[in-house]
Amino acid sequence: KIRSVTWGIFDCQQVVCDRPFQFKGRRLRNTLEQRASQSGVYSDDLRLEIKVRSNKPRLSACLEGLPELRMDGTQEAQLLQGELHKCSLVIRNVDCPLAFLHISTSHPNFVAFDRPEGNEDLSIDFRDEGIRLKGAFPKELRVPVLLCINARGLHALRYLLLAEAVGDGIKSEQRQWITLEELTRVEPALSLSARPSPSYASDGRILFNCHLENK
């Protein structure tokens, strides 16, 4: 628990300052004695209490292979309406055995996960919103991601990861949550076809018939 902060002013440490932390928690009003107390009865303040866990996942994740486009200072991925695009969800693990890894998305109608290649030791359970993996996890895992968005506009696609470490104890203290958000702009897909045909008004004149289709 952090009890105080000490700092110095100037490089030669001529002025040393110390500030102890004596914060109060939430005021308790459950009993008659607590409500009648003039000075008040307060709970412990746990905001500056640091818990160190030895058996906790330390994962990092990112998406690779998205076509990126910078617009107005923001970074967005750009796809065509109905386009099927394949990218990879790269997950790195720092020497922590995992009991399972659950991957889901906020848009299961647009995003699909495939089986990672070259990881036969992993058992995969495909679910409606994502996949659940168990087994021997490598230090770097690449999960294929398929994107196909049929709605035009800007979409905030979120990818949710829940990892749990192997071991006994309180499960909530052995888990790690990761949330990734990718802004994806979907533009309409248009097809243009041109076909020459003779003019019925002027002999020897060729006209082009253009057909524009919004797919």
Side-chain angles (χ1 to χ4, degrees):
K1 185 176 182 178
I2 302 176
R3 301 185 181 278
S4 63
V5 174
T6 303
W7 68 94
I9 302 178
F10 309 118
D11 295 337
C12 56
Q13 299 292 326
Q14 295 180 358
V15 180
V16 179
C17 305
D18 182 78
R19 175 65 182 268
F21 290 146
Q22 297 178 356
F23 296 131
K24 294 181 180 180
R26 182 177 59 87
R27 183 167 181 174
L28 303 178
R29 301 178 182 272
N30 298 328
T31 64
L32 180 61
E33 291 77 8
Q34 293 174 353
R35 295 192 294 267
S37 176
Q38 295 182 357
S39 58
V41 180
Y42 297 88
S43 63
D44 296 332
D45 192 312
L46 304 179
R47 290 177 296 174
L48 299 179
E49 186 174 284
I50 301 176
K51 295 182 179 180
V52 180
R53 309 297 183 191
S54 60
N55 193 26
K56 189 176 182 65
R58 290 183 293 168
L59 303 182
S60 61
C62 64
L63 277 170
E64 291 184 358
L66 283 177
E68 296 180 351
L69 176 67
R70 293 185 179 273
M71 297 181 61
D72 300 331
T74 61
Q75 187 171 341
E76 302 172 356
Q78 188 177 36
L79 297 175
L80 293 177
Q81 185 178 1
E83 175 187 0
L84 182 62
H85 187 82
K86 184 177 181 180
C87 57
S88 297
L89 178 61
V90 182
I91 305 170
R92 295 180 176 87
N93 183 17
V94 184
D95 297 333
C96 181
L98 298 180
F100 70 85
L101 174 64
H102 185 81
I103 306 174
S104 60
T105 178
S106 60
H107 294 71
N109 295 331
F110 299 158
V111 181
F113 301 99
D114 202 355
R115 181 183 299 272
E117 298 180 358
N119 295 274
E120 291 78 9
D121 297 334
L122 289 176
S123 63
I124 302 177
D125 181 17
F126 290 92
R127 305 188 176 189
D128 294 337
E129 74 282 359
I131 58 175
R132 190 180 184 94
L133 302 97
K134 293 183 179 180
F137 289 85
K139 291 186 177 180
E140 181 176 290
L141 180 66
R142 290 181 172 267
V143 179
V145 180
L146 300 177
L147 297 176
C148 185
I149 304 177
N150 296 320
R152 290 177 292 178
L154 183 62
H155 304 272
L157 304 182
R158 296 180 180 88
Y159 303 87
L160 311 175
L161 290 82
L162 172 61
E164 182 179 305
V166 176
D168 300 329
I170 303 175
K171 296 301 182 181
S172 61
E173 297 180 354
Q174 298 176 354
R175 293 177 177 176
Q176 178 187 3
W177 285 90
I178 297 179
T179 302
L180 300 178
E181 181 177 289
E182 291 289 340
L183 295 178
T184 305
R185 185 175 296 277
V186 179
E187 301 291 346
L190 303 177
S191 65
L192 175 64
S193 60
R195 182 171 57 88
S197 62
S199 173
Y200 296 102
S202 302
D203 295 336
R205 187 177 181 182
I206 302 298
L207 299 178
F208 283 92
N209 293 326
C210 297
H211 179 70
L212 184 63
E213 182 182 1
N214 184 4
K215 296 184 177 181

